[in-house]
């Protein structure tokens, strides 16, 4: 809310939203329409062309600070962009199917010039990095579950262990990995490193999942990382990255809202045309209620996302706000897509439309970036611990 008490987005964000909306319709959709239903990225030449056009419009790497070549948006701006760039068939997990570049993990800009070398290449080339936290021993509670070890040997660390569910690992040249140094079993031992995939000791195995864009296991077998690629202090990897991890949640939820909004608009159009029992679906109260409930939930979800982002932009701690936005946004968006499929009937699950694909995506969104149960735990702990964070 601004100082006049208005919930309107600032004008520059509304203009940006409209520009992205046009770009998605005029540039991304025609490229996407030629691709198979489950494709997750355009052909390389088409992607390069899209990226050049987006960059010319200043729509490049929304989170990355302007001094590093990105759009340097506020968190509110990132949420607005995330909602719009998700509105395509490939939706949500790769914003605008990669047209707007891939933000390097923003924590890298806290590192040294040397550590930023790959991120600078990604900014120039529109390529993507990976972030490896989760392990087979558990992803919900990484501070306890991380078993990958980094052993200090004079001027380097030797990393051994396995990461799991790592997005983008196959296309990335580099990544940030969290490993345990020393004997501590909690978060104090965890240290983050920049890892270069071209070096020996890293291998990948693909994990087929509910969608074609697969995550990977990343295996470290005596992988040697020079000390100058340790990101932050030894044992401080978690606190180094924490704010960034929390701030990723509102845009994550915003992207699911974008998909659900696109699904709802399709369902409304269909309901006004399709007839059954002598009248349009739109004339039936059962359908009207599905549409009304969807609108209510999407508006509520969007406001929660905006509130979290707005608080972050004011410099407030948004750990709880981000969990609220993530739980409600991803769950509401899932319900909306489900209802829209119901309104379409058989066509709802046909691959001719994007709905069944979005439905599969939505299922992941309640697990990725922390499962709903973990975010509910964060919210409940805050309330029950008597430290209620004011919204
Ligand atoms: C497609 C995909 C992409 C991913 N990309 C990445 C990535 O790029 N990098 C990365 O590091 N990780 C990534 N992840 C991992 C993701 O963050 C984890 O899957 C998630 O944190 C859950 O961890 P887990 O799968 O080990 O489940 P577990 O930790 O074993 O939890 C299993 C279930 O237990 C329940 N649970 C857990 N804790 C609690 C609790 N406190 N109270 C009640 N119930 C609880 C929840 O229902 C949870 O779903 C990705 C996952 C997927 C599916």
């Amino acid at each position: 809310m601004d100082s006049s008490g208005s919930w309107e987005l600032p004008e520059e964000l509304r203009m940006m939203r409209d520009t992205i909306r046009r770009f998605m319709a005029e540039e991304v959709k025609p490229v996407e329409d030629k691709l198979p239903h489950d494709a997750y990225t355009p052909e390389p030449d088409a992607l390069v062309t899209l990226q050049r056009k987006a960059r010319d419009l200043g729509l490049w790497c929304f989170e990355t600070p302007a001094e590093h070549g990105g759009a340097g948006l506020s968190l509110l701006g990132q949420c607005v962009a995330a909602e719009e760039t998700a509105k395509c068939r490939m939706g949500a997990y790769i914003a605008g199917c990669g047209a707007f570049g891939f933000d390097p993990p923003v924590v890298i800009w806290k590192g040294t010039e040397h550590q930023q070398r790959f991120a600078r290449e990604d900014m120039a080339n529109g390529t993507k990095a990976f972030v490896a936290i989760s392990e087979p021993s558990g992803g919900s509670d990484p501070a306890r579950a991380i078993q990958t070890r980094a052993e200090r040997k004079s001027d380097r660390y030797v990393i051994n262990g396995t990461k799991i569910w790592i997005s983008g690992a196959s296309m990335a040249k580099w990544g940030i990995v969290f490993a345990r140094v020393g004997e501590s079993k909690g978060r104090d031992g965890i240290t983050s490193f920049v890892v270069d995939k071209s070096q020996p000791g890293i291998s990948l195995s693909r994990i087929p999942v509910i969608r074609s864009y697969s995550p990977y296991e990343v295996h470290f077998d005596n992988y040697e990382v020079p000390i100058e690629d340790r990101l932050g202090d030894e044992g401080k990897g978690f606190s180094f990255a924490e704010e960034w991890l929390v701030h990723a949640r509102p845009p994550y939820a915003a992207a699911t809202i974008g998909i659900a909004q696109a699904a709802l608009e399709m369902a409304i159009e269909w309901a006004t045309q399709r007839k059954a029992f002598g009248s349009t679906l739109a004339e039936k109260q059962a359908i009207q209620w599905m549409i009304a409930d969807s609108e209510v939930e999407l508006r509520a979800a969007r406001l929660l996302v905006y509130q979290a982002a707005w608080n972050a932009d004011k410099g407030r701690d948004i750990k709880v706000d981000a969990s609220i936005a993530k739980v409600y946004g991803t769950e509401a968006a899932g319900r909306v897509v489900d209802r829209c499929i119901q309104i379409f009937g058989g066509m709802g699950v046909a691959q001719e439309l994007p709905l069944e694909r979005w439905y599969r995506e939505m299922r992941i969104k309640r697990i990725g970036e922390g499962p709903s149960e973990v975010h509910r735990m964060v919210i409940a702990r805050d309330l029950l611990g008597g430290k209620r964070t004011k919204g």
Side-chain angles (χ1 to χ4, degrees), residues 128-142 145 163-169 176 178 209-211 213-216 252 364-375 377 381:
K128 179 171 165 47
F130 68 83
V131 176
I133 301 172
S134 304
E135 299 203 0
S137 49
S140 298
D141 183 14
K163 295 289 175 181
I164 195 169
W165 312 120
I166 307 309
S167 303
I176 295 179
F178 290 73
V209 290
I210 197 167
R211 67 184 186 199
Y213 179 59
S214 300
Y216 284 78
Y252 189 87
I364 295 175
K365 301 300 178 190
R366 286 160 47 201
I367 299 170
E369 295 281 335
S372 287
E373 292 73 19
V374 171
H375 291 295
M377 178 188 76
R381 271 186 184 165

Side-chain angles (χ1 to χ4, degrees), residues 231-290:
L231 197 53
D233 293 338
E234 197 174 281
K236 300 288 175 231
F238 246 88
S239 38
F240 195 66
E242 198 153 43
E243 187 179 296
W244 158 55
L245 295 171
V246 169
H247 283 205
R249 289 168 192 154
Y252 189 87
T256 66
I257 294 168
I259 286 189
Q261 183 67 45
L264 181 60
E265 284 163 20
M266 285 175 62
I268 290 170
E269 199 183 330
W270 174 260
T272 54
Q273 289 164 13
R274 182 79 170 175
K275 287 193 171 158
F277 295 91
S279 63
T280 62
L281 298 179
E283 289 170 87
K284 298 174 199 321
Q285 195 182 45
I287 302 294
Q288 290 169 4
W289 284 27
M290 282 198 247

Side-chain angles (χ1 to χ4, degrees), residues 115-239:
Q115 289 166 353
Q116 292 169 10
R117 63 200 182 280
F118 297 115
R120 283 195 295 273
E121 277 181 36
D122 284 350
M123 289 301 297
N125 302 333
T127 44
K128 179 171 165 47
F130 68 83
V131 176
I133 301 172
S134 304
E135 299 203 0
S137 49
S140 298
D141 183 14
R144 287 191 187 80
I146 287 179
Q147 294 177 2
T148 294
R149 297 203 69 83
E151 197 185 335
R152 177 81 183 262
K153 294 226 165 129
S154 69
D155 63 345
R156 49 197 53 232
Y157 291 86
V158 179
I159 301 183
N160 280 291
T162 294
K163 295 289 175 181
I164 195 169
W165 312 120
I166 307 309
S167 303
S170 65
M171 46 174 129
K173 276 188 170 172
W174 70 289
I176 295 179
V177 62
F178 290 73
R180 197 173 288 286
V181 178
E183 296 311 312
S184 163
K185 302 223 180 311
R187 57 185 284 155
D188 289 352
I190 295 169
T191 309
S192 49
F193 299 92
V194 172
V195 295
D196 174 357
K197 245 178 67 193
S198 70
Q199 295 304 306
I202 295 191
S203 58
L204 305 185
S205 8
R206 180 170 170 265
I207 313 172
V209 290
I210 197 167
R211 67 184 186 199
S212 61
Y213 179 59
S214 300
Y216 284 78
E217 278 191 10
V218 183
H219 310 282
F220 294 91
D221 182 12
N222 288 323
Y223 174 86
E224 295 193 7
V225 55
I227 192 165
E228 55 269 23
D229 274 337
R230 187 189 70 212
L231 197 53
D233 293 338
E234 197 174 281
K236 300 288 175 231
F238 246 88
S239 38

Side-chain angles (χ1 to χ4, degrees), residues 293-304:
D293 286 346
S294 298
E295 178 69 9
V296 170
E297 291 197 278
L298 286 183
R299 284 200 199 189
R302 193 176 286 111
L303 285 177
L304 288 173

Side-chain angles (χ1 to χ4, degrees), residues 7 9-10 12-14 16-18 20-21 24 61-64 71-87 92 95-96 100 103 244-261 298 300-313 318 321-326 329:
W7 275 107
L9 286 172
E12 68 274 14
L13 291 188
R14 278 185 278 139
M16 178 195 72
R17 181 189 61 195
D18 295 345
I20 297 176
R21 212 171 266 178
M24 294 298 291
C61 292
F62 298 111
E63 182 185 14
T64 301
L73 294 184
S74 61
L75 195 60
L76 182 60
Q78 290 170 44
C79 290
V80 172
E83 178 171 346
E84 291 308 316
T85 56
K87 288 180 184 171
F100 308 100
D103 283 292
W244 158 55
L245 295 171
V246 169
H247 283 205
R249 289 168 192 154
Y252 189 87
T256 66
I257 294 168
I259 286 189
Q261 183 67 45
L298 286 183
R302 193 176 286 111
L303 285 177
L304 288 173
V305 163
Y306 285 178
Q307 186 192 35
W310 188 77
N311 276 333
D313 293 336
I318 61 153
D321 290 14
S323 285
I324 291 174
K326 202 277 179 181

